[in-house]
Structures are given as structure tokens and as C-alpha cells.
Amino acid sequence: MKNTIENRTINVWVSLLDAMKTMDTQKVKTLFVFDGEHFEGLLTLGDIQRAIIKNIALTEPVSRILNKSKIYGYVTEDETAIKEKIRRMRAEVMPILDEKGELVDVWFWSDLFKKTELVQREQINLPVVIMAGGKGTRLKPITNVIPKPLVPIGDKTILEEIMDQFEAIGCQKFYMSVNYKSNMMRYYLDQLPHHYDVSFFEEDKPLGTIGSVSLLKGKIDTSFFVSNCDIVIDQDMRDVYDYHCENHNDLTIVTAVKSFRIPYGVIETGEDGLMTALKEKPELTYMINTGVYILNPGCIDEIPQGEFFHITQLMEKIKARGGRVGCFPVSEQSWKDMGEWPEYLKMIDVL
């Protein structure tokens, strides 16, 4: 049995960052945590995300955040009861434990239910604003011919990938900020067999990364998503919305956990140039802005009309008045950015 989960098994002393990296490498969102041969519990991506939000350091061991009250199946239960438990919890995997709490089996959702029997979750129908007006200069020469949102990845364009992800969670209404080659985007979407409900709004001059959203004043009266047109994130955006609401944020940024290893020994010095510390090839971790946000409708009124205005300026404006700007973390490889050629080539290799 243990061989079936070997690629998603970690030790209880593994750091949160390394656990997240393992999830990325194995393309899973749940890991089995052991202390030697003893099963300690399941660790989910959601557990790590909640830990980051609570400002727990990614260098901490997973034992620091392991939830001992998670619900598992037991050999004393019949198959019907365990199946119902899996269905009720929408569990991707269910460990089966014996009377001593040792792991004796693992049941997977995909093995128990038909592919058509999807995990049910309440949908949300929030407006989605897609910022699609840029010239995509870093992707030339392809963007000399087509606008960046129509660059293909697989058998779809990046624009369709983004909209399909939001439609999958219930979002139906799209607003698209356009400028460069906007007629080509309108024509392309009109010719698709699948009809998206899109309202275009056009800036007659560059207005920065959020300035054009001022043109939507009076048109949106609920919280709404904003997404750049060159990224795809492997994350159920309903989790981001739940976090946004529960924390009463004015604006929520989806951030990616990005780590960099310095390939040298790093020396710290003090007075008189004396060495105070030496760190051999340290790994630095940052939270990167992915280009996806949730905004409350009142944020639109804070964007000056007709002025060049960046999303970072809006964040500072909200913070200056005492508002809340939250960050929802996703793993490094959950974020696919095709803003430049190297990233684009990696994206089409994965999707």
C-alpha cells in the first residue's frame, strides 16, 4: 500500500516550503506525513496556505501545523459509510486507519466515483474584469500579428483558458479592457462556438494596470475579480473569495510563493567590517504578485478617471485610508505566466 503513495509521502520534520515544493513536483495538493513508520496525518495545500496567512514561517516543520483532528476512515467502518464520508468531505484521498491509528489503506476519489461524478461545491457568480489592452511587446514578433490574449496554448488561446477557469466556478459576466488590436479580439470571440458574455470597454490612451477600470463606475455593484490576460493559476478561486470575505478585505492579491537560492556563501558584516554571520547558499522566499485580484465595488470609486493609475497605487491608497489589502498565497508552480518567451514556452509545455 505504501508504494502507492510513496511519491506523496514526507517526514514530519520537512519544512512547509519543501512540502509545497513536493506538491508542485508531484502535481498533488495532499501529502501523507509520517514520523518514521508511524502515520501522523494528511497535509493539504490549504493547510499551508492558512499557515502562510497566519504569518507562520515557511521554514517551520509541517509538524507545527498538522491538523490532528482531520477525519479519516477506519477498518471498523463498512464501505458505504466510508464512501459517504469521502463524498461529504469532497476528499481527494481518504486514509484508512486501524484501531491503533496506523495507516493500512488509502482510498482515492477517482477510484470510487465515475469521472462524470464531479465533486460538488457551491458556485459563485462574480463579474470578472480581464485587462487585455497591452501590446505584449515582450512576446514579439508573434504579437505583431495577434494580440497577446489570442496567443495559443494548446488548442485554446490564453484568453479562453482564463475565462473557462472562471466559468467553471460559476462566473458568467466578463468585462474586457481592450486597446491594441481590439477588433481582432472581438471578431475571434464572436466566431467561437462557445459564447462568452463579454462587454468590452476601451481606453483611448494607456491608463496603467488598473486605470481603465474607472470606466466601469456604476456598472459593477458586487465584489469582482481582476485578471491580467497572460497568466493561468491552478487554484480554485472560490477559496480566494472565501478568504477575501472572511477577512473583510477591500482588495485581495493572489500571491505566489517564489524561492531563490543564492549560489554563493552570503556573508553578513558588522562594525569595522567584521564578519558576523556566514550562510552557505541561502534560499530566499518572497511573495510575488501574480496579477489576479479581488476588489470590492467601492474600489472603483478610488480609481481616478482618465488618469494613468497602477494597481500598486490603488493598494497604497486603500492602506493609507486604513483599508485592508490581503494576500492569498499559491504555490510557485501553480502560477503560469506567459509574459515573456521563456515563460510562454514553459507554459505550453505544461498545459
Side-chain angles (χ1 to χ4, degrees):
M1 179 276 304
K2 201 167 181 180
N3 290 337
T4 64
I5 60 169
E6 187 174 3
N7 64 342
R8 54 165 74 189
T9 297
I10 60 171
N11 187 276
V12 72
W13 300 113
V14 165
S15 71
L16 298 180
L17 180 60
D18 285 340
M20 185 175 273
K21 287 181 178 180
T22 299
M23 290 180 182
D24 270 347
T25 301
Q26 300 300 330
K27 296 180 171 54
V28 297
K29 296 188 178 181
T30 306
L31 297 176
F32 295 79
V33 182
F34 284 81
D35 186 358
E37 293 296 316
H38 177 66
F39 175 68
E40 290 288 331
L42 280 183
L43 178 75
T44 67
L45 178 60
D47 293 331
I48 299 177
Q49 289 171 323
R50 286 185 287 273
I52 295 172
I53 290 169
K54 290 178 182 177
N55 207 30
I56 295 175
L58 283 168
T59 54
E60 290 289 316
V62 297
S63 58
R64 168 81 185 276
I65 68 165
L66 208 57
N67 183 356
K68 296 289 188 177
S69 62
K70 273 190 166 66
I71 297 173
Y72 303 127
Y74 292 90
V75 293
T76 53
E77 298 176 291
D78 61 35
E79 181 177 332
T80 302
I82 296 177
K83 272 190 170 184
E84 180 53 35
K85 192 180 290 186
I86 294 172
R87 193 193 305 273
R88 184 177 70 251
M89 295 173 59
R90 303 193 299 269
E92 176 202 359
V93 297
M94 176 62 73
I96 310 298
L97 310 183
D98 63 16
E99 296 86 346
K100 297 179 181 179
E102 298 297 339
L103 183 68
V104 296
D105 200 0
V106 177
W107 291 14
F108 292 86
W109 175 284
S110 57
D111 293 336
L112 298 174
F113 305 108
K114 298 177 181 177
K115 290 183 179 180
T116 55
E117 193 173 353
L118 299 176
V119 178
Q120 295 300 314
R121 182 174 178 182
E122 185 177 355
Q123 296 203 318
I124 58 175
N125 189 5
L126 297 181
V128 180
V129 178
I130 298 177
M131 309 301 288
K135 292 185 177 181
T137 53
R138 293 176 298 170
L139 278 180
K140 286 187 174 184
I142 193 172
T143 48
N144 289 335
V145 181
I146 57 175
K148 184 166 61 174
L150 299 189
V151 171
I153 50 173
D155 58 356
K156 294 181 181 179
T157 63
I158 182 68
L159 182 58
E160 291 167 86
E161 286 285 351
I162 294 169
M163 292 195 289
D164 286 349
Q165 183 184 27
F166 282 110
E167 279 197 345
I169 64 170
C171 299
Q172 299 296 322
K173 181 62 181 177
F174 296 91
Y175 294 90
M176 196 170 300
S177 175
V178 295
N179 181 273
Y180 178 69
K181 295 186 182 292
S182 62
N183 288 338
M184 189 176 292
M185 276 186 279
R186 297 172 197 261
Y187 177 80
Y188 179 83
L189 291 175
D190 283 344
Q191 303 307 307
L192 289 176
H194 176 77
H195 176 70
Y196 298 97
D197 183 1
V198 180
S199 293
F200 296 91
F201 61 105
E202 192 155 355
E203 53 187 12
D204 54 12
K205 63 179 180 179
L207 294 176
T209 53
I210 200 68
S212 64
V213 174
S214 65
L215 301 172
L216 295 177
K217 287 182 180 179
K219 296 182 179 179
I220 295 178
D221 58 6
T222 66
S223 296
F224 61 99
F225 290 99
V226 174
S227 175
N228 288 350
C229 68
D230 55 5
I231 54 96
V232 174
I233 298 177
D234 180 18
Q235 171 68 49
D236 190 327
M237 291 299 168
R238 287 171 290 193
D239 295 334
V240 186
Y241 179 60
D242 288 345
Y243 161 74
H244 178 82
C245 295
E246 290 166 5
N247 287 272
H248 308 289
N249 294 340
D250 295 275
L251 186 154
T252 292
I253 314 161
V254 179
T255 58
V257 177
K258 185 83 171 176
S259 57
F260 304 88
R261 186 170 293 281
I262 307 297
Y264 310 102
V266 175
I267 296 174
E268 296 178 6
T269 60
E271 190 174 352
D272 297 326
L274 297 177
M275 185 181 78
T276 59
L278 169 63
K279 297 178 181 178
E280 187 61 30
K281 299 179 181 178
E283 188 169 28
L284 307 178
T285 304
Y286 298 97
M287 303 289 279
I288 305 298
N289 182 356
T290 66
V292 175
Y293 318 92
I294 297 180
L295 279 67
N296 284 347
C299 292
I300 300 176
D301 295 326
E302 301 188 60
I303 303 171
Q305 286 188 305
E307 294 183 22
F308 190 90
F309 198 70
H310 279 318
I311 186 72
T312 49
Q313 292 174 276
L314 177 60
M315 294 172 190
E316 292 299 332
K317 192 172 183 179
I318 292 170
K319 286 175 61 64
R321 64 164 169 78
R324 294 173 65 90
V325 177
C327 298
F328 184 93
V330 300
S331 67
E332 181 172 345
Q333 292 185 32
S334 294
W335 173 43
K336 303 293 188 301
D337 176 13
M338 68 159 218
E340 297 183 356
W341 275 107
E343 286 77 15
Y344 171 62
L345 294 174
K346 284 190 289 186
M347 177 184 282
I348 61 176
D349 186 52
V350 171
L351 293 175

